[in-house]
Amino acid sequence: MQSFGVPRLGLGDVRVLEGDLTDEAAVGYHDADGVLVGVVLLGLAKRMLDHRSAVVAAQGSRTLEPAG
């Protein structure tokens, strides 16, 4: 099992992105705006870079606001 991003930020919208939970799967976690914030891989080691890149790309589309 591997995870990328911050899955806990998307507990309200969890989707199977690939595979089957009874075998190997990629599970995506989306925030309230539907943006992918994390992925958990159950197996699927060969797809690790693809799913990690998807999380990075989704976050790159956001506008960051300064803290404070």
Side-chain angles (χ1 to χ4, degrees):
M1 181 182 339
Q2 295 194 32
S3 68
F4 311 103
V6 187
R8 70 180 176 85
L9 296 179
L11 293 176
D13 185 359
V14 180
R15 309 174 198 172
V16 176
L17 303 175
E18 179 180 347
D20 184 332
L21 293 177
T22 62
D23 190 24
E24 294 187 324
V27 180
Y29 296 79
H30 301 78
D31 68 10
D33 296 323
V35 176
L36 183 66
V37 293
V39 173
V40 173
L41 295 182
L42 307 168
L44 295 178
K46 293 180 181 180
R47 301 277 291 137
M48 177 181 67
L49 291 177
D50 296 321
H51 288 290
R52 187 172 72 179
S53 295
V55 172
V56 170
Q59 295 307 303
S61 68
R62 291 180 171 242
T63 303
L64 298 178
E65 296 181 18

